[in-house]
Amino acid sequence: MKMLSPEGRKKWGGSVIRVGGSNESALLLPGTPLGSSNSTSLRHSSCLACLARPITVKRCVAALVLLSTLSILFYTHYLGNHPFSSLIRRDTRPEPAIRCSLSGGPSRNAAAAHDHRSAARLRIDAKVLVFVETTYSRLGREIAELLVYNRIKYKVEVAGKSLPILTNSDKGKYGVIVFENINKYLNMDKWNRELLDKYCREYKYSVGVVAFQPSSEETLVGAQLKGFPLYIHTNLRLKDAVLNAASPILRLTRAGESAWGQLPDDWTVFHPNHSTYEPLAWAVRDTPGGLDKTPLPTIVQDHGQIDGIQRVLFGSGLKFWLHKLLFLDSLSYLSHGQLSVSLQRFLLVDIDDIFVGERGTRLKQDDVQALLAAQTRIQKMVPGFRFNLGFSGKYFHHGTPEENLGDDTLLENVGKFSWFSHMWNHQQPHLYDNGTQLSMDMMLNKNFAKEHGIPTDSGYSVSPHHSGVYPVHEPLYAAWKKVWNVRVTSTEEYPHLRPARLRRGFIHRNIMVLPRQTCGLFTHTIFIERYPGGRVKLDESIQGGELFQTIVYNPMNIFMTHMSNYGNDRLALYTFESVIKFVQCWTNLQLISVPPLQLAEKYFQMYPEEADPVWGNPCDDLRHEKIWSRNKTCEQLPRFLVIGPQKTGTTALYTFLSMHPEVSSNFPSQDTFEEIQFFNGKNYYRGLDWYMGFFPIPTNSTSRFLFEKSATYFDGELVPRRAHALLPHAKLVTILISPARRAYSWYQHMRAHGDEIALNYSFHQVITATDTAPKTLRELRNRCLNPGKYSQHLDRWLSYYPSQQLHIIDGEQLRNNPVEVMNELQRFLKLSPPFDFSKHLRYDPKKGFYCQVVSADHNKCLGRSKGRQYPPMEERSYKLLQRYYLSHNTALAKLLKNHVIPQWLKEDLSVL
């Protein structure tokens, strides 16, 4: 939709929105007469006379000299001292031209928003149930994306199947039901429809329904919606949308303005025949001549007077930006405030590369004055706002005389801005292999700041090109703490650059990392004519598009801009003033600004679950590879993991694998021996560099298979997500034995290692401990029994890894026939050439298991703690555990439908 006309303005209902154009002078050579027909004839006749003269060498040389002189004068006059200088001499620059009927300022907006909270919200969870036509349908994906962007929990179901469980005890599991296609709702089978309607009515208006009318090939005129006194017309082209200012649904969205212009897609409009329906939005027909001005309802609210169920029905999807706001408001209203998004938005604008830039792109004195003037205007709309300037001191006074004066003007007004440190020489930190040199360069920038009165205590810094922040370059974090006492930074790269609205924060080495956003301007974006798509495209982003939605969906926005965006056409000033005004026109959001440290503290108060980082694989993202230390390689990461569980034979498997000439394990740890235990404990916070330090750099990356074994990975709740983020293509190996026998073996292992609780209680006492037992005994029971719930843990792994990447070993078979087990494992891992384990493994009658062959009469076996013989388990304990694990074993058999079922599992299921 073309939201606002750049040629003028239109009015409707007393509200006005105007977008102005920019006046530009023509590009003419000095002394050229303007608009003279006589001068044109003269030029033509002069040229003909020149052509008629005889051509001589002297005249050719003279012509070349003249041409060269004119070219030099041209480039000197129009390009200045650098090829990036302005090619267009203008008297005016683009100015924000958004007008709306605001009164009372930003605080008025927040006060006008409805509070949707009611007591009914306590009976439903803050979660959305979304029914889609197919898992690949476009609108369904758009709905899911919008929910993700706003951190709203949801569940997707394909319409037409059985309903999911809707209640949990006496509480509803979903606050709102959403149908991608209203017809799927209207044509549900009687049983499911009655169940759903009963759920929605359970607590009287407690759960509402949102439904969309899709565009269709069939044009309907006056068709009735099944079962409702509501009629529709489909496949209409509409324009000029307005909102119902009296609607109780409006909270995030501000009414009072008109969205002029053609609306995207074909539309359905509603004609109600009952007072239960109230229009939420109208538009008019887009017809030749525009004579039909009849308002047509495009969204209607059903107040539930007919059947006790409140609904909001949309006549089109989410392509129209205003529908996204109204959809969020509908969720808030229908969930009684459970699904309300905050109306407070924090805004910080960083200006990177102050003093860094080619001649012709840097700030001049009048640019700095314009920056200060714009800051003053924005402060009236965004309390506490200041531009945040990032400096690299080495490039101070590296411009033309006019630009150097601009540098001086910045420092003359140093107290009017906020400041943060870039790098002294704008070098990317990941290129520093020497942490000492990195610290020395930072100190140069700090000394520059002290000499020129720039504050050094902000606790905030940004790395050039986001280098070293993520993927983490440990020397950067160390130098930041040492030189600048940095406590907060920001990046666009976590977890990835795109999509921008999914960027998140994390904390590493006690430095808070905030998600950073872009406004669509980059170092080369200095003229509006050269903006990709021109002013029209930039205005689309501002007026309901990407930039506008970024602010709406992100409670905290740190925008990256560059010094060059504030010179020349001053596009950054145009962009931010325009979008802030547009936000105030169309939303009730309250924009405020605070320093970065305060912003970070608020962020992690709001999202404490994000504090823990998730380390991704740098080689899965080209941008991450470019800003990753050059002395690192992903070939140093393991290609498969042995994930446990404990007491199933993982150490034996680790030993057998280490015999293979093409396989290398990790280096041992001083604390955990052959296990690194990275993904499941505090070691994870030490970072990727720490983890990779346990692996050798392969000399032949095509043939060396690196692996690690940590038996505690199997049942760690966070482990599958963390492992998949770093090693998405790794293969997984797990060993399973009868869970009852595994629990008994673990208990005896704890006794052998002197565990006080295990020594004081029998195995039967441990496994029968109730919730009233001492806490230490309950904890021992859980640690003993929980790993044996194999189906539960494997299901978590398989939610991240495909089944074909998982190999399951029967632990009993590994003990009795390891050669065959290892041959199967080699085939799964595709190890080539295969290793002949039959020549390297031999049964040792003294130990009672297979050991490594050292010589004809000597074996190398595991330590005395392995293969220890325990007294047999009591029969009553064994029977109790078989009953305890029955449901888990049954679920495991279903889960392993694509794998060979272990013999012990068949036996355990056949006993009871």
Side-chain angles (χ1 to χ4, degrees):
M1 167 193 149
K2 189 174 180 181
M3 179 42 213
L4 302 173
S5 170
E7 303 301 331
R9 64 182 183 179
K10 298 182 181 178
K11 296 183 179 179
W12 190 5
S15 62
V16 181
I17 297 178
R18 181 191 298 118
V19 173
S22 61
N23 297 322
E24 300 169 359
S25 58
L27 184 69
L28 295 173
L29 290 174
T32 303
L34 298 177
S36 169
S37 59
N38 292 333
S39 64
T40 303
S41 301
L42 179 60
R43 285 197 301 269
H44 289 173
S45 59
S46 298
C47 289
L48 290 172
C50 289
L51 291 173
R53 293 176 183 175
I55 298 175
T56 65
V57 174
K58 185 177 179 179
R59 287 197 178 109
C60 287
V61 172
L64 287 172
V65 170
L66 178 61
L67 181 60
S68 301
T69 303
L70 289 173
S71 298
I72 292 171
L73 289 173
F74 177 81
Y75 280 99
T76 300
H77 184 73
Y78 288 97
L79 301 183
N81 297 318
H82 192 274
F84 283 106
S85 296
S86 176
L87 289 175
I88 301 174
R89 293 299 179 185
R90 63 175 80 253
D91 298 321
T92 61
R93 294 180 173 87
E95 295 291 340
I98 293 174
R99 304 287 184 265
C100 58
S101 55
L102 280 174
S103 60
S107 59
R108 187 222 68 84
N109 282 22
H114 288 99
D115 185 353
H116 292 152
R117 289 176 297 178
S118 73
R121 78 184 195 281
L122 302 177
R123 298 184 177 184
I124 53 177
D125 285 335
K127 192 173 183 179
V128 180
L129 178 60
V130 183
F131 286 99
V132 298
E133 292 191 76
T134 71
T135 54
Y136 306 103
S137 53
R138 179 184 60 81
L139 179 55
R141 291 199 308 271
E142 291 176 347
I143 292 170
E145 288 171 359
L146 188 57
L147 296 174
V148 170
Y149 292 156
N150 288 276
R151 292 176 167 88
I152 296 174
K153 296 180 180 179
Y154 70 98
K155 179 180 176 64
V156 172
E157 292 284 338
V158 176
K161 298 183 178 180
S162 298
L163 292 176
I165 297 173
L166 299 174
T167 58
N168 183 11
S169 186
D170 61 340
K171 192 173 184 180
K173 294 181 67 175
Y174 305 99
V176 178
I177 313 297
V178 176
F179 281 86
E180 175 194 18
N181 186 336
I182 190 174
N183 296 306
K184 295 293 182 180
Y185 173 59
L186 299 175
N187 297 312
M188 290 179 73
D189 64 86
K190 183 179 179 182
W191 173 260
N192 283 329
R193 177 63 182 274
E194 288 178 353
L195 281 178
L196 187 64
D197 287 354
K198 181 182 178 183
Y199 172 73
C200 293
R201 283 192 295 261
E202 191 69 29
Y203 305 107
K204 191 177 181 181
Y205 305 136
S206 65
V207 177
V209 174
V210 176
F212 294 86
Q213 173 67 46
S215 58
S216 65
E217 296 179 359
E218 182 182 8
T219 299
L220 303 175
V221 179
Q224 183 176 1
L225 289 184
K226 183 178 180 181
F228 296 100
L230 186 63
Y231 301 85
I232 61 172
H233 295 259
T234 65
N235 288 347
L236 299 180
R237 301 298 296 177
L238 302 180
K239 65 178 182 179
D240 303 344
V242 292
L243 303 180
N244 178 5
S247 173
I249 290 177
L250 300 183
R251 180 177 177 274
L252 169 65
T253 317
R254 178 183 180 273
E257 307 305 328
S258 302
W260 300 104
Q262 188 181 73
L263 304 183
D265 281 345
D266 293 328
W267 285 69
T268 294
V269 297
F270 302 94
H271 291 280
N273 194 22
H274 195 283
S275 60
T276 191
Y277 299 107
E278 178 183 1
L280 176 57
W282 296 274
V284 300
R285 293 285 300 272
D286 185 13
T287 56
L291 299 178
D292 188 352
K293 299 294 185 180
T294 305
L296 303 173
T298 56
I299 306 175
V300 294
Q301 176 187 0
D302 180 354
H303 287 281
Q305 296 172 11
I306 296 176
D307 59 1
I309 302 172
Q310 295 200 75
R311 304 174 182 87
V312 179
L313 308 180
F314 285 75
S316 186
L318 295 176
K319 276 190 176 181
F320 183 30
W321 62 268
L322 199 51
H323 274 197
K324 296 178 182 180
L325 304 186
L326 295 172
F327 176 70
L328 294 175
D329 278 345
S330 299
L331 297 182
S332 173
Y333 178 81
L334 295 174
S335 68
H336 306 271
Q338 273 284 66
L339 296 168
S340 296
V341 297
S342 169
L343 294 182
Q344 194 175 61
R345 295 293 181 273
F346 292 91
L347 182 67
L348 181 67
V349 177
D350 288 348
I351 305 180
D352 292 356
D353 307 338
I354 285 293
F355 309 135
V356 180
E358 301 290 347
R359 291 186 175 191
T361 68
R362 299 160 67 95
L363 300 187
K364 300 176 183 177
Q365 187 176 34
D366 61 336
D367 295 321
V368 178
Q369 291 168 348
L371 184 67
L372 286 165
Q375 179 173 273
T376 300
R377 293 192 297 271
I378 293 175
Q379 285 171 346
K380 296 177 182 178
M381 299 181 285
V382 184
F385 179 83
R386 278 187 173 193
F387 286 109
N388 199 28
L389 277 53
F391 62 95
S392 297
K394 179 180 178 180
Y395 298 97
F396 179 68
H397 275 190
H398 270 51
T400 66
E402 285 182 304
E403 292 168 340
N404 290 344
L405 184 59
D407 289 357
D408 293 334
T409 308
L410 283 170
L411 295 182
E412 288 169 6
N413 294 277
V414 67
K416 297 179 181 179
F417 300 108
S418 298
W419 296 80
F420 65 91
S421 173
H422 244 5
M423 292 290 292
W424 162 254
N425 56 1
H426 208 253
Q427 174 85 319
Q428 297 180 46
H430 78 278
L431 300 177
Y432 288 84
D433 296 326
N434 188 318
T436 303
Q437 185 61 49
L438 182 58
S439 296
M440 290 174 60
D441 278 7
M442 285 189 183
M443 187 56 70
L444 289 173
N445 217 31
K446 189 169 186 179
N447 291 337
F448 170 83
K450 291 178 178 179
E451 291 171 7
H452 293 85
I454 298 175
T456 60
D457 58 352
S458 71
Y460 178 66
S461 185
V462 173
S463 174
H465 306 129
H466 309 277
S467 160
V469 182
Y470 187 84
V472 166
H473 187 55
E474 295 293 348
L476 171 63
Y477 283 74
W480 264 346
K481 297 294 289 186
K482 177 181 177 181
V483 177
W484 286 99
N485 190 28
V486 169
R487 297 174 60 190
V488 57
T489 184
S490 60
T491 184
E492 301 168 31
E493 298 293 344
Y494 179 79
H496 295 285
L497 175 68
R498 293 185 179 87
R501 299 187 199 114
L502 294 186
R503 295 171 192 162
R504 297 293 183 255
F506 68 97
I507 300 176
H508 183 58
R509 306 295 185 191
N510 293 321
I511 293 179
M512 296 175 281
V513 182
L514 293 177
R516 209 177 193 210
Q517 305 295 336
T518 54
C519 64
L521 304 179
F522 303 95
T523 52
H524 60 276
T525 317
I526 58 180
F527 300 119
I528 199 161
E529 289 83 2
R530 295 184 186 173
Y531 186 88
R535 180 170 183 165
V536 171
K537 198 68 177 178
L538 180 58
D539 284 344
E540 284 179 1
S541 178
I542 292 169
Q543 299 163 16
E546 181 68 22
L547 179 56
F548 171 77
Q549 291 176 40
T550 296
I551 295 176
V552 171
Y553 302 150
N554 289 285
M556 298 188 180
N557 293 273
I558 301 178
F559 283 105
M560 177 189 72
T561 58
H562 302 274
M563 178 184 67
S564 56
N565 304 142
Y566 296 83
N568 301 284
D569 272 1
R570 301 173 188 162
L571 288 190
L573 300 183
Y574 170 80
T575 299
F576 284 111
E577 287 194 76
S578 297
V579 75
I580 289 170
K581 289 179 180 180
F582 197 82
V583 167
Q584 290 190 336
C585 282
W586 285 99
T587 76
N588 290 315
L589 294 176
Q590 181 184 11
L591 301 178
I592 59 175
S593 187
V594 297
L597 184 56
Q598 189 177 342
L599 189 66
E601 290 170 345
K602 287 181 177 292
Y603 184 91
F604 288 105
Q605 286 173 6
M606 292 177 64
Y607 307 116
E609 70 281 0
E610 289 186 18
D612 289 350
V614 177
W615 308 125
N617 192 316
C619 297
D620 285 345
D621 189 308
L622 290 176
R623 284 179 61 92
H624 288 177
E625 271 196 290
K626 291 178 181 178
I627 54 175
W628 199 33
S629 181
R630 55 194 169 193
N631 60 5
K632 295 183 175 69
T633 170
C634 289
E635 297 300 331
Q636 204 174 348
L637 291 170
R639 296 174 67 173
F640 69 95
L641 301 174
V642 178
I643 61 175
Q646 291 175 290
K647 305 309 297 176
T648 58
T650 55
T651 302
L653 180 63
Y654 173 87
T655 303
F656 298 161
L657 280 167
S658 298
M659 298 177 190
H660 200 297
E662 295 299 323
V663 174
S664 293
S665 66
N666 54 274
F667 302 131
S669 165
Q670 291 183 348
D671 300 322
T672 50
F673 306 102
E674 80 273 7
E675 296 190 352
I676 305 177
Q677 296 188 9
F678 175 66
F679 294 106
N680 65 319
K682 294 181 179 179
N683 288 336
Y684 190 73
Y685 304 111
R686 296 185 177 187
L688 184 55
D689 286 4
W690 182 89
Y691 181 59
M692 293 178 67
F694 280 92
F695 296 96
I697 299 176
T699 55
N700 185 351
S701 60
T702 60
S703 60
R704 299 287 283 181
F705 276 71
L706 298 179
F707 83 100
E708 69 138 321
K709 181 273 293 188
S710 291
T712 52
Y713 285 172
F714 181 76
D715 57 322
E717 289 190 16
L718 298 175
V719 175
R721 179 191 177 204
R722 289 173 171 178
H724 185 263
L726 181 61
L727 307 170
H729 309 296
K731 294 188 176 182
L732 309 174
V733 179
T734 186
I735 310 172
L736 303 180
I737 65 173
S738 170
R741 299 190 186 281
R742 194 219 66 85
Y744 183 66
S745 177
W746 185 89
Y747 165 79
Q748 293 291 357
H749 173 79
M750 296 303 293
R751 285 177 61 90
H753 284 76
D755 183 274
E756 185 177 343
I757 306 301
L759 290 171
N760 290 336
Y761 292 95
S762 69
F763 179 62
H764 195 74
Q765 287 175 306
V766 171
I767 64 175
T768 57
T770 64
D771 291 339
T772 59
K775 182 180 178 181
T776 52
L777 181 57
R778 284 184 279 122
E779 289 176 349
L780 186 70
R781 174 200 63 190
N782 292 337
R783 286 191 291 140
C784 178
L785 298 181
N786 283 347
K789 299 173 182 178
Y790 297 151
S791 61
Q792 176 180 308
H793 305 308
L794 281 178
D795 187 58
R796 187 162 53 238
W797 280 98
L798 292 174
S799 67
Y800 290 92
Y801 286 91
S803 178
Q804 59 267 28
Q805 285 180 236
L806 172 68
H807 182 71
I808 295 175
I809 293 175
D810 185 335
E812 298 297 332
Q813 190 180 6
L814 176 64
R815 183 184 183 94
N816 299 325
N817 188 6
V819 173
E820 181 56 33
V821 168
M822 297 308 296
N823 287 337
E824 290 179 0
L825 181 56
Q826 286 188 93
R827 288 190 287 271
F828 169 73
L829 297 174
K830 297 181 180 179
L831 293 173
S832 181
F835 184 69
D836 189 353
F837 280 96
S838 64
K839 296 180 180 179
H840 297 272
L841 292 176
R842 182 167 56 204
Y843 183 77
D844 191 304
K846 292 181 180 180
K847 279 286 188 177
F849 52 78
Y850 280 77
C851 300
Q852 182 179 358
V853 175
V854 176
S855 63
D857 55 355
H858 181 64
N859 298 331
K860 181 182 178 181
C861 297
L862 297 176
R864 64 178 62 184
S865 64
K866 303 299 181 183
R868 185 184 286 115
Q869 295 297 318
Y870 302 125
M873 191 189 333
E874 291 183 72
E875 185 65 21
R876 60 173 182 161
S877 297
Y878 184 62
K879 292 293 185 184
L880 185 151
L881 287 177
Q882 287 221 308
R883 289 193 295 272
Y884 178 83
Y885 284 120
L886 178 60
S887 61
H888 297 287
N889 285 342
T890 302
L892 178 64
K894 295 179 181 178
L895 198 64
L896 300 183
K897 58 184 178 181
N898 295 324
H899 295 81
V900 177
I901 303 296
Q903 183 61 34
W904 62 262
L905 180 57
K906 297 176 181 178
E907 294 173 358
D908 278 9
L909 289 174
S910 65
V911 170
L912 296 175

